[in-house]
Amino acid sequence: MRRFSAVVSSPLFVCRVLSGIFWAAILSGCTGSGEGLDNSGRPLGEAAQLPLSAEFDSIQAHIFTPICSVCHAGGNAPEGLRLDAANSYNLLVGVASTQQPSTLRVRPGNPDSSYIIQKLEGTAAFGERMPFGGPYLPASTIAVVRQWITEGALRSPASVSAASFALSTTAPQDGDVLEAGPAQVMLGFTRDLDTNRIATADIRLQRIDLDDPQALGAAISATVAVPASNPRALLVIPGEPLVEGHYRVVIADPYGVGLADLDGRPLAGHAGGTNDVVIRFTVGSTR
Amino acid sequence: MSARIGWLGAALVVLLSWATAQPVRAEPYLAVRQDLKCNGCHVNPTGGGMRNDFGTAFSQHVLPAKPGGAGGWSGKVGDLLRLGGNLRTGWSSMEVPDQNSRRRFDLDEVRLYADFTLIPQQLAVYVDQRVAPGSAQTQEAYVRYGDSTGWYLKGGKFYLPFGWRLEDDTAFVRQTTGINMATPDTGVELGYESGSWSTQIALTQGSGNAQADSGHQVVGQAVWVQPLWRLGAAASFTESELGDRRMAGVFAGLHTGPVSWLGEVDFIRDEGFLPQTREFAVAIGELNWMVRGGHNLKLTAEFFDADRDVDENEQNRWSVVYEVTPLPFMQIRVGHRRYEGIPQNDLQNRRLTFVELHGFF
């Protein structure tokens, strides 16, 4: 051990290590070329490329995904706020801030009372100005977020009515092909779910045969839950790993007593069982 | 004009710093250089925050270019109370391609620490309160129980043990893991400090579960500390309603003459990105060269792969920081960070130049 100490303390050793690090740094200068990627570093085509405008999807693509979700994503997201595309809307709009529970993160119609604006502008009472460590968003960019909130903080003004109770997003999305079976299927809605109605809803996870589309799917046991942190999301959690194959999630409502929001609105275009919601996805390369 | 004022301001900060001046928060390279564990200098067994008797003496008599004399601040107020604090302020210039440069002064943070000894050598209450900017916010607040066997238990709100507790919270390894000195968590931590080993395991709520009624995080690390070098391994599992996260990392330190080396590599697997999981890889290498007493040159190289299944998305960050500790309790840091990422994302290719004055007591 003494000999080792003498060796690593010698100037020659230090020079060699310095030299090694230098060349390692040169060789590992492996910054991505960005080829085939969008501004967020995601493969082209994965998300729509929109100019920055006061619409949620545009704000997601230009601000939340490329800037905020570097930290605000995954199981360790600060303050439980995930700003990746699958979760951000449901964790922002109408949800109380954890740092200042009396203030909503986004209060539709009122940007000054929205915590996200306070955090972006550096006027929040608690914590760091965001984005953490800077650079902070230009006033013109924050103005776009303000405008989106002023106009009601809609999920997607072009397709979703603020008054309706509708499915706004799913993950996986209909038609997705996944490399591995998802741990859960997430259904996002435009309004808070009435959790008392979950038990009466007919929600099924099925394995299906694409060659025989009329056949009834093979039922797969699954747990259905509304996460406490996100009352607009419904999780369908398989009771077993989803192996290679085709699957679908069906929300049926033959008796008009299924999913509803807190005001008792049934799912848009869904009452009476005539328009079941169906999300199909494939695990593996099955054709 | 504004640029000239900015540079003038920066020069003023440096001058003021030299004339009045103070040093560092958690700086693991100092532990490597001195062959110490984190608890060698800090009250907190996992490092950071308030310094203990040795840490306070070290910052007065060893760290500065001009050591202080006897009789300086010890942090002790009587036998049962220790106080401390931290202030960081400075000037920075951020340059983003195709955007106007932003140059500004900021009061980064002011923190106050207190450690109340309830039963000497056994039971204490520790508080780390951020008092500025903005409203007061508790960063850490926990009860700590330990005895001469090396075991300790703490419960409350605290920073999690995972890898190097770097001074720079914006380092890729600290940002991406979500375990840094801006994201404390609430729970309990069990630790064992003995001989060559420093180990901790914590069960907490998980910062990602801040609004959830359920979910938890289990995080731990073990460090084998030897003369001149050390090797550690860390792991974390977060159960969350919206997707679990697993992390694993290895980190090491080596002390060769005037140079201290730090390295850390972490792998993260996240189920939070639907419809599929996403895997990240992140690494840092840091060199600290003690040019002479009170002068340290810090060079860091960092790597971040934001999705291992996606090619050509890798990012790097390079930093050069010169740290001068002219007097006890004061440090001046001048640095430049260069971010390199995909060309279509301007923010991934920004430059940061900063001058920071850091004082503590």
Side-chain angles (χ1 to χ4, degrees):
Chain A
M1 183 57 72
R2 215 174 284 160
R3 180 175 165 70
F4 174 74
S5 304
V7 169
V8 300
S9 299
S10 69
L12 183 61
F13 180 83
V14 172
C15 287
R16 283 177 174 165
V17 172
L18 279 171
S19 170
I21 295 288
F22 173 77
W23 288 111
I26 295 294
L27 293 173
S28 65
C30 42
T31 305
S33 69
E35 189 178 333
L37 305 179
D38 63 18
N39 290 349
S40 303
R42 302 303 304 165
L44 287 171
E46 187 177 270
Q49 293 297 291
L50 308 163
L52 180 59
S53 67
E55 294 189 8
F56 178 75
D57 290 348
S58 170
I59 291 170
Q60 179 71 49
H62 285 269
I63 301 172
F64 296 153
T65 296
I67 301 172
C68 309
S69 71
V70 174
C71 298
H72 280 281
N76 286 3
E79 308 297 337
L81 176 56
R82 301 179 187 217
L83 291 175
D84 56 283
N87 295 295
S88 62
Y89 186 87
N90 291 330
L91 291 173
L92 279 172
V93 180
V95 178
S97 156
T98 53
Q99 290 186 333
Q100 190 167 310
S102 61
T103 306
L104 298 181
R105 286 169 172 163
V106 170
R107 181 181 291 278
N110 193 339
D112 288 330
S113 296
S114 297
Y115 201 62
I116 189 174
I117 295 296
Q118 297 172 14
K119 293 295 281 188
L120 292 175
E121 294 181 342
T123 58
F126 299 98
E128 306 281 350
R129 182 179 181 183
M130 294 289 132
F132 182 70
Y136 306 123
L137 299 183
S140 57
T141 304
I142 298 174
V144 172
V145 183
R146 280 182 160 274
Q147 185 184 346
W148 167 64
I149 296 173
T150 301
E151 293 173 354
L154 303 180
R155 173 71 175 85
S156 178
S159 58
V160 180
S161 161
S164 69
F165 172 56
L167 191 67
S168 61
T169 183
T170 70
Q173 293 182 337
D174 190 33
D176 274 351
V177 178
L178 314 177
E179 289 179 4
Q184 62 191 18
V185 177
M186 192 277 286
L187 309 168
F189 296 89
T190 54
R191 301 177 67 85
D192 290 1
L193 290 158
D194 181 352
T195 53
N196 295 323
R197 301 281 290 268
I198 302 297
T200 60
D202 186 359
I203 301 168
R204 300 171 225 150
L205 173 61
Q206 299 171 327
R207 185 184 172 107
I208 54 175
D209 182 357
L210 287 188
D211 295 332
D212 187 4
Q214 301 304 318
L216 292 175
I220 293 176
S221 66
T223 305
V224 178
V226 176
S229 58
N230 185 356
R232 297 183 180 188
L234 188 72
L235 303 179
V236 181
I237 305 165
E240 59 191 76
L242 299 185
V243 297
E244 188 173 288
H246 303 287
Y247 297 88
R248 70 183 172 201
V249 172
V250 179
I251 304 176
D253 190 7
Y255 309 109
V257 294
L259 289 181
D261 68 7
L262 292 175
D263 295 326
R265 293 186 185 87
L267 208 51
H270 187 238
T274 54
N275 292 299
D276 291 349
V277 174
V278 180
I279 297 109
R280 297 180 183 83
F281 60 94
T282 300
V283 176
S285 57
T286 304
R287 290 281 177 265
Chain B
M1 182 62 184
S2 64
R4 193 177 299 166
I5 291 172
W7 283 110
L8 210 63
L12 189 64
V13 166
V14 173
L15 282 172
L16 283 173
S17 305
W18 277 100
T20 57
Q22 296 202 20
V24 224
R25 180 156 61 188
E27 280 287 20
Y29 82 85
L30 290 172
V32 172
R33 180 178 288 168
Q34 300 297 324
D35 298 332
L36 293 170
K37 296 182 187 175
C38 299
N39 67 357
C41 285
H42 292 274
V43 169
N44 187 343
T46 52
M50 176 181 277
R51 286 143 287 262
N52 59 20
D53 286 339
F54 181 86
T56 305
F58 181 84
S59 63
Q60 291 183 69
H61 304 296
V62 181
L63 195 58
K66 184 180 178 184
W73 170 260
S74 69
K76 282 188 169 179
V77 182
D79 293 335
L80 303 178
L81 174 62
R82 176 183 290 279
L83 298 177
N86 229 17
L87 182 150
R88 287 171 184 274
T89 186
W91 173 89
S92 64
S93 169
M94 180 80 76
E95 294 180 25
V96 181
D98 301 321
Q99 294 184 18
N100 293 330
S101 299
R102 280 168 239 173
R103 299 187 175 92
R104 50 182 294 130
F105 286 97
D106 283 299
L107 174 61
D108 295 325
E109 68 171 8
V110 180
R111 290 190 184 195
L112 297 176
Y113 312 122
D115 192 61
F116 304 89
T117 299
L118 307 178
I119 303 175
Q121 310 298 324
Q122 288 188 39
L123 188 64
V125 170
Y126 178 79
V127 178
D128 171 352
Q129 192 81 3
R130 178 186 156 118
V131 295
S135 301
Q137 190 174 17
T138 302
Q139 294 296 109
E140 289 192 290
Y142 59 78
V143 179
R144 185 181 67 249
Y145 174 79
D147 60 25
S148 57
T149 64
W151 289 95
Y152 74 85
L153 179 68
K154 65 185 185 188
K157 187 176 185 182
F158 50 85
Y159 303 123
L160 301 181
F162 188 97
W164 290 120
R165 186 159 289 173
L166 300 173
E167 175 273 338
D168 177 21
D169 279 338
T170 62
F172 285 156
V173 288
R174 296 284 66 89
Q175 264 198 322
T176 311
T177 58
I179 296 181
N180 51 55
M181 297 181 77
T183 54
D185 203 357
T186 305
V188 293
E189 177 184 297
L190 178 66
Y192 181 61
E193 300 284 341
S194 179
S196 301
W197 287 97
S198 175
T199 58
Q200 298 88 31
I201 186 165
L203 173 63
T204 63
Q205 178 74 18
S207 59
N209 296 319
Q211 287 184 308
D213 292 334
S214 62
H216 63 267
Q217 181 170 5
V218 181
V219 55
Q221 64 178 14
V223 190
W224 190 32
V225 182
Q226 293 295 302
L228 300 183
W229 62 277
R230 67 193 62 197
L231 180 64
S236 170
F237 171 70
T238 305
E239 185 194 72
S240 175
E241 289 172 338
L242 295 178
D244 300 341
R245 168 178 276 209
R246 291 173 174 79
M247 302 194 293
V250 292
F251 53 104
L254 174 66
H255 172 209
T256 59
V259 180
S260 305
W261 310 82
L262 303 180
E264 179 174 336
V265 180
D266 301 321
F267 294 94
I268 303 166
R269 180 182 170 85
D270 223 324
E271 292 175 355
F273 291 92
L274 297 171
Q276 299 189 37
T277 58
R278 199 175 287 185
E279 293 184 1
F280 310 82
V282 60
I284 185 171
E286 180 178 300
L287 173 160
N288 286 276
W289 178 22
M290 189 174 73
V291 179
R292 58 189 172 93
H295 293 251
N296 181 63
L297 175 65
K298 185 192 297 284
L299 305 176
T300 61
E302 299 174 60
F303 171 79
F304 174 33
D305 184 347
D307 188 341
R308 297 180 69 198
D309 289 333
V310 174
D311 293 331
E312 301 301 335
N313 66 340
E314 297 84 2
Q315 299 174 46
N316 292 106
R317 190 175 86 146
W318 311 90
S319 303
V320 181
V321 181
Y322 197 79
E323 301 170 330
V324 182
T325 311
L327 300 169
F329 304 122
M330 168 179 156
Q331 186 179 61
I332 303 150
R333 309 172 72 238
V334 181
H336 180 76
R337 302 194 198 282
R338 178 188 177 98
Y339 292 75
E340 294 178 349
I342 58 175
Q344 54 267 53
N345 187 318
D346 290 337
L347 290 177
Q348 289 184 14
N349 294 281
R350 62 189 186 270
R351 309 278 184 268
L352 172 68
T353 305
F354 63 91
V355 180
E356 181 185 272
L357 172 63
H358 176 208
F360 69 81
F361 61 93

